[in-house]
Amino acid sequence: MTKTTAPWLSILIPVYNVGPFLRECLESVAAQIIPGVEVITLDDCSTDNSHQLLQDFAEEYGNSITILRHEYNRGLSAARNTLLDHARGEYVWFLDSDDALHPGAIAELHQIAFQFSPDLVMCDFRVWRERQTRKHIWRGENHTATFAGPKQKLLTDPLALFEGIYKERNLHIWSKISKRALWDADLRFPEGRVMEDMVVTPRLALRAQSYYYQPSVWVAYRQRDGSILSSSSQKKIDDMSVACAGVLDLWLRYYPQLSRRARFYFTYFCVKTHICVARDMRSLHKTPNPDLAIYRERFFAHIGWNKNQLYNEYLKRGWLLRLKRFVREH
């Protein structure tokens, strides 16, 4: 890594109406700050006490964090973009303000960054619930992987990166720490849209010349009522239905040798997304048979296969039950 006076890491935390959870997030970061780490927060015009909590925390911890504020509410994507514009670190790490860093996460990242200097570092996470049941434990929520591929080694195969990300189907940006240099002006979060990680993560990965997967839980990902993912709206449905648009075409432009297996893992991610769209449509419009025609059309445009080709890919893998489920939900 190049030695400069700039921070080696910028932790970027967008904030909006997260008063009950914000302090836990900030404390999880402050407890493990080491030299060369800057923490930048942005209040997106919260209507609760979030901004005051930021100010109180900064005063208590000796102004160890930078506090930005939008003049009006612009949404999560815009908040992240503004944070990117102010970041000075060689690496950037987005953290949602209702989540938390696990102890030791920054130290582990520091060791990887200075030993290997990868463009992209991926970590695992745990699902953080107010009440965890046996079902959640059996699902593996205490340790969820984000990449299917070699662990703890520097890798440079972009085709394996694409396949490994989509095989695990966890595209959250907060489990991907990246060099700030990858974020040129033409790579930003789509303002005004939700499900933005599904748009940005594959485009960020396309720019990574090298990457490193650390199978450690670095993030506690909070599940709570009122979050974007826990609610249904027509906007969420529409944004989710176009989030995968252009991804496959973009990757094939640079890597036409992308394997059929890798394409299938991407397709299966799109399948799961389309099933969520169908379920949310039924829930939102309170009908068992909503009009899904436009969403089906978008789905097949994203995957580049027709129905027969898709079904054949399922059958080749012996995924008959999963195929039946898709047909039923589709």
Side-chain angles (χ1 to χ4, degrees):
M1 283 176 57
T2 302
K3 293 184 178 179
T4 67
T5 56
W8 70 271
L9 174 65
S10 298
I11 297 178
L12 309 178
I13 308 176
V15 174
Y16 180 70
N17 286 356
V18 286
F21 318 107
L22 181 56
R23 187 168 184 88
E24 282 182 291
C25 173
L26 297 174
E27 287 182 341
S28 76
V29 176
Q32 52 184 303
I33 287 294
I34 58 178
V37 176
E38 67 173 2
V39 181
I40 309 177
T41 65
L42 183 140
D43 175 34
D44 195 30
C45 286
S46 297
T47 58
D48 66 355
N49 63 338
S50 292
H51 189 71
Q52 185 61 52
L53 287 171
L54 287 173
Q55 292 179 315
D56 293 345
F57 190 88
E59 183 176 346
E60 181 179 344
Y61 280 81
N63 294 310
S64 59
I65 65 173
T66 298
I67 304 172
L68 307 175
R69 195 177 196 185
H70 277 162
E71 293 183 1
Y72 59 93
N73 178 257
R74 293 169 55 190
L76 177 58
S77 287
R80 285 175 169 171
N81 290 339
T82 299
L83 286 164
L84 263 176
D85 291 339
H86 285 79
R88 298 181 301 124
E90 185 167 357
Y91 286 88
V92 294
W93 190 352
F94 292 98
L95 179 66
D96 289 350
S97 50
D98 54 352
D99 296 341
L101 290 187
H102 263 235
I106 294 177
E108 278 196 71
L109 173 62
H110 181 263
Q111 182 176 357
I112 293 167
F114 277 82
Q115 183 176 355
F116 300 100
S117 191
D119 287 344
L120 182 69
V121 181
M122 295 169 286
C123 69
D124 291 346
F125 66 96
R126 73 174 176 90
V127 179
W128 187 6
R129 297 182 183 275
E130 186 174 333
R131 190 176 69 86
Q132 189 181 57
T133 66
R134 282 200 185 96
K135 176 182 70 174
H136 300 134
I137 296 173
W138 291 336
R139 285 176 181 170
E141 290 188 354
N142 286 339
H143 190 151
T144 301
T146 62
F147 181 72
K151 306 171 182 177
Q152 297 178 305
K153 60 192 303 184
L154 188 66
L155 302 169
T156 58
D157 182 356
L159 304 179
L161 177 59
F162 180 91
E163 180 177 329
I165 287 176
Y166 278 105
K167 187 173 182 179
E168 287 295 348
R169 304 195 310 276
N170 288 311
L171 271 69
H172 320 94
I173 199 65
W174 40 257
S175 63
K176 317 305 187 277
I177 303 96
S178 57
K179 283 190 175 178
R180 183 165 54 93
L182 300 183
W183 296 88
D184 289 336
D186 60 338
L187 180 62
R188 286 295 186 269
F189 294 90
E191 295 196 17
R193 287 170 58 180
V194 297
M195 318 307 291
E196 64 286 335
D197 290 0
M198 293 165 58
V199 177
V200 168
T201 295
R203 289 167 172 82
L204 176 67
L206 182 62
R207 300 177 180 217
Q209 300 287 315
S210 60
Y211 55 96
Y212 189 102
Y213 171 45
Q214 177 63 28
S216 299
V217 172
W218 284 356
V219 179
Y221 168 48
R222 191 190 297 270
Q223 290 281 299
R224 63 181 178 89
D225 294 337
S227 67
I228 292 174
L229 290 182
S230 67
S231 57
S232 295
S233 69
Q234 191 60 52
K235 175 172 178 50
K236 176 189 168 186
I237 292 168
D238 291 339
D239 287 354
M240 183 162 42
S241 75
V242 298
C244 295
V247 170
L248 183 62
D249 290 341
L250 181 62
W251 272 80
L252 286 174
R253 187 188 314 161
Y254 288 91
Y255 302 107
Q257 71 274 34
L258 196 67
S259 71
R260 203 164 186 87
R261 183 181 63 206
R263 286 192 59 174
F264 179 76
Y265 287 130
F266 167 76
T267 296
Y268 189 56
F269 179 87
C270 294
V271 165
K272 300 290 281 187
T273 301
H274 182 69
I275 288 173
C276 289
V277 166
R279 287 177 177 173
D280 280 10
M281 281 288 287
R282 285 196 293 270
S283 173
L284 185 66
H285 297 285
K286 303 189 185 311
T287 173
N289 297 301
D291 184 3
L292 299 174
I294 184 64
Y295 303 114
R296 292 192 192 98
E297 182 179 339
R298 290 172 182 172
F299 164 74
F300 282 107
H302 297 163
I303 68 172
W305 286 337
N306 61 35
K307 187 180 295 186
N308 288 336
Q309 289 172 310
L310 174 61
Y311 289 2
N312 285 336
E313 291 296 325
Y314 268 83
L315 294 174
K316 276 165 47 178
R317 290 165 176 79
W319 285 17
L320 183 59
L321 292 179
R322 297 188 192 190
L323 175 59
K324 286 182 176 179
R325 182 182 179 191
F326 169 66
V327 172
R328 183 176 66 249
E329 296 287 350
H330 177 260

